[in-house]
Amino acid sequence: MAGELVLLDFWPSPFGMRSRIALAEKGIPYEYREEDLRNKSDLLLQMNPVHKKIPVLIHNGKPVCESVIQVQYIDEVWHDKAPLIPSDPYQRAVARFWVDFIDKKIYELGSKIWKTKGEEQANAKKEFIECLKLLEGELGDKTYFGGESLGYVDVALVPFYSWFYAYEKCGDFSIEAECPKMIAWVKRCMQKESVAKSLPDQEKVYEFILQLKKVFGIE
Amino acid sequence: MSKAKLVILDCWVSPFCMRVKIALNEKGLEYEAQAEDLFGGKSELLLSSNPIYKKVPVFLHDGKPLCESSIIVNYIDETWSSPPLLPPCSYGRAQARFWADFIDKKVFDACGNIWRSKGEVPVEAKKEFIEILKQLEEALGDKDYFIGTTFGFVDIILIPLTSWFFAVEKIGGFTVEAECPKFSNWMKRCLQRESVAKVVPPPEKVYEFVLMFRKMQGID
């Protein structure tokens, strides 16, 4: 069933990290291929002609694009180990809602924090914290969003932790001070090998952001 | 609160609400559509069931709320399995979800760039809209429906948005039929289905609504 699996990815991408975590949770071997986004490979352009973006999961030569779709696909195909998506349809719909919320808010607000200054940045920080607090509310007293084990929402959200240090430095604020429950949850996730191995070092991501700021001419 | 088991908090012109109603019709399910007045004042039920976005549609199954139309359609398909709206195999489902995601990211915004424009409609806006339809035409290929021979998930996600195309055509000064005839044929095929015809309003009515909305927003 494993067949040939290739993940076209880019090391700081939180979206790529989602698929890395899902594959690691299930112990599925795959080939990781690093893409240079300034010089995209023919394979990437052929496998994702519509968006031309990473990550792309290639299973027996057939592409699956979009990280949330990849995680669902991985969970369905390798359903016998470490299930990520709830089996109850209502719980599944609720999990999808929160993953969709994360997709709509976290990346864009985070980007505004490192790309902008002044009032725009202040508004982005405020809304970012509000979103994290809503997620804290959803987590409640559970160990993970998925309950006792890592689930779909955990996999979708935890990659952004690797960008938190960069957001904090650029925005001059502390996420832990504002959302301690969120950071406590992150630390629990990071104790899992599948997560720790899939996330890059936060300092490395910060250096990458500083490079990007230089390239885009952002102060 | 209604005693009905299935309730949708609805707005007649919302393509997102139409998706849910079509899915329910396809499954032969009885439901109650509660019209929300999005301009006059949203109901307490809407605000409490969808506190994050405060938007329609909200689907209530025995009082338990679900939000976001694509998620609701997925839920309906998983809860009432016949007839299936998604393909049986995992890869087919991934493909269907990809196109639903593409449609969600692109189509309504591209429509908005045309019908919301003040004065002359920018050429790039028209170009982008047609380009998106051509990409969808390519995905459709020679099939009757997006994922094969039967009406399904992707068709349900897309067909309601086409009820706004007449308004886009009138304001943009072009026709979908002339630019994308294959797409136009797919539209007609879907609109013949009872589940769709019962739900999708006449395009002229949507156009009237768009004109009224433009006046309200000071665009006209």
Side-chain angles (χ1 to χ4, degrees):
Chain A
M1 205 198 286
E4 189 195 271
L5 259 183
V6 178
L7 182 67
L8 305 182
D9 200 353
F10 179 50
W11 68 269
S13 163
F15 307 101
M17 288 174 220
R18 290 167 168 178
S19 299
R20 287 175 232 165
I21 295 170
L23 291 164
E25 271 289 292
K26 292 178 184 272
I28 305 161
Y30 66 98
E31 184 193 336
Y32 177 96
R33 281 199 212 168
E34 190 72 31
E35 282 284 332
D36 176 358
L37 298 187
R38 293 159 304 179
N39 185 19
K40 293 174 181 178
S41 70
D42 285 338
L43 183 62
L44 172 55
L45 298 175
Q46 182 200 341
M47 290 284 139
N48 193 357
V50 174
H51 299 302
K52 304 176 177 49
K53 285 182 173 181
I54 55 91
V56 180
L57 182 72
I58 310 172
H59 188 199
N60 293 329
K62 296 197 294 187
V64 179
C65 305
E66 297 301 306
S67 61
V68 297
I69 297 174
Q70 286 162 12
V71 173
Q72 289 183 85
Y73 177 79
I74 290 164
D75 200 52
E76 283 178 20
V77 174
W78 291 275
H79 52 82
D80 44 342
K81 183 146 183 238
L84 298 169
I85 295 175
S87 50
D88 170 68
Y90 186 77
Q91 293 307 323
R92 195 178 309 161
V94 170
R96 284 182 175 137
F97 173 85
W98 286 105
V99 170
D100 179 69
F101 173 80
I102 291 160
D103 266 358
K104 280 178 162 87
K105 301 280 188 183
I106 303 296
Y107 187 70
E108 200 185 304
L109 290 170
S111 293
K112 279 194 180 154
I113 293 172
W114 70 261
K115 280 182 183 169
T116 68
K117 280 210 144 6
E119 197 179 337
E120 202 181 343
Q121 189 191 54
N123 289 337
K125 274 161 58 180
K126 186 164 168 275
E127 207 186 331
F128 182 78
I129 294 298
E130 275 165 14
C131 289
L132 291 189
K133 284 197 195 294
L134 281 169
L135 287 160
E136 276 185 329
E138 173 58 20
L139 177 65
D141 293 320
K142 302 196 294 291
T143 310
Y144 305 103
F145 285 90
E148 285 308 306
S149 56
L150 214 66
Y152 188 41
V153 181
D154 304 279
V155 172
L157 181 59
V158 79
F160 291 99
Y161 173 65
S162 62
W163 287 56
F164 278 11
Y165 179 68
Y167 297 155
E168 286 173 327
K169 292 288 277 188
C170 294
D172 189 28
F173 69 123
S174 159
I175 295 171
E176 183 156 18
E178 305 275 356
C179 305
K181 265 189 144 183
M182 171 100 338
I183 299 302
W185 161 79
V186 163
K187 289 181 176 160
R188 287 195 292 276
C189 291
M190 289 295 282
Q191 279 170 2
K192 294 188 74 76
E193 201 186 341
S194 60
V195 177
K197 274 191 352 184
S198 302
L199 265 57
D201 178 65
Q202 291 196 79
E203 297 253 6
K204 240 187 124 191
V205 173
Y206 179 49
E207 270 166 42
F208 169 72
I209 295 297
L210 291 177
Q211 288 292 325
L212 277 185
K213 281 165 78 108
K214 241 185 224 148
V215 165
F216 286 117
I218 305 166
E219 280 284 298
Chain B
M1 166 76 158
S2 171
K3 289 207 186 104
K5 192 172 154 185
L6 305 180
V7 176
I8 174 176
L9 304 185
D10 186 29
C11 175
W12 69 271
V13 74
S14 159
F16 307 101
C17 295
M18 289 176 219
R19 290 170 172 178
V20 177
K21 289 182 281 189
I22 293 169
L24 292 166
N25 289 343
E26 281 288 312
K27 302 278 183 181
L29 294 164
E30 298 274 325
Y31 60 92
E32 182 187 325
Q34 286 184 19
E36 285 285 332
D37 179 359
L38 300 181
F39 302 110
K42 294 173 180 177
S43 72
E44 278 304 313
L45 181 59
L46 173 57
L47 299 174
S48 63
S49 331
N50 193 356
I52 292 181
Y53 301 119
K54 305 176 177 46
K55 285 183 174 181
V56 289
V58 176
F59 180 65
L60 295 133
H61 183 188
D62 286 339
K64 293 199 296 188
L66 285 173
C67 310
E68 296 302 301
S69 58
S70 303
I71 293 173
I72 297 169
V73 173
N74 240 305
Y75 172 77
I76 290 167
D77 193 44
E78 287 168 6
T79 307
W80 296 276
S81 52
S82 179
L85 302 175
L86 278 163
C89 72
S90 302
Y91 191 74
R93 279 202 286 280
Q95 289 292 88
R97 286 173 179 145
F98 175 85
W99 287 108
D101 176 71
F102 174 85
I103 291 159
D104 266 347
K105 279 182 165 103
K106 305 268 189 179
V107 178
F108 200 60
D109 281 353
C111 286
N113 288 339
I114 294 172
W115 69 257
R116 283 179 193 270
S117 53
K118 201 165 182 157
E120 180 110 22
V121 175
V123 170
E124 311 82 61
K126 287 197 255 190
K127 206 166 153 250
E128 198 201 345
F129 179 77
I130 298 297
E131 180 56 44
I132 289 165
L133 294 196
K134 285 202 191 294
Q135 281 180 298
L136 288 166
E137 264 191 336
E138 207 183 311
L140 181 64
D142 292 318
K143 306 192 296 294
D144 277 352
Y145 302 104
F146 272 88
I147 302 292
T149 53
T150 52
F151 182 77
F153 186 63
V154 181
D155 309 287
I156 292 175
I157 295 302
L158 183 55
I159 193 66
L161 293 164
T162 69
S163 65
W164 285 59
F165 284 8
F166 179 70
V168 168
E169 287 169 329
K170 293 288 276 187
I171 294 166
F174 64 95
T175 73
V176 170
E177 185 154 21
E179 302 281 346
C180 306
K182 261 188 164 184
F183 189 90
S184 185
N185 287 338
W186 165 84
M187 278 171 61
K188 289 176 189 155
R189 200 174 298 129
C190 290
L191 290 166
Q192 277 167 3
R193 290 183 79 80
E194 200 189 336
S195 64
V196 178
K198 280 197 321 189
V199 163
V200 174
E204 293 81 6
K205 243 190 124 188
V206 178
Y207 179 46
E208 266 169 46
F209 172 84
V210 169
L211 291 179
M212 177 213 72
F213 193 79
R214 279 169 63 97
K215 255 203 189 101
M216 262 174 67
Q217 299 276 295
I219 301 170
D220 262 336

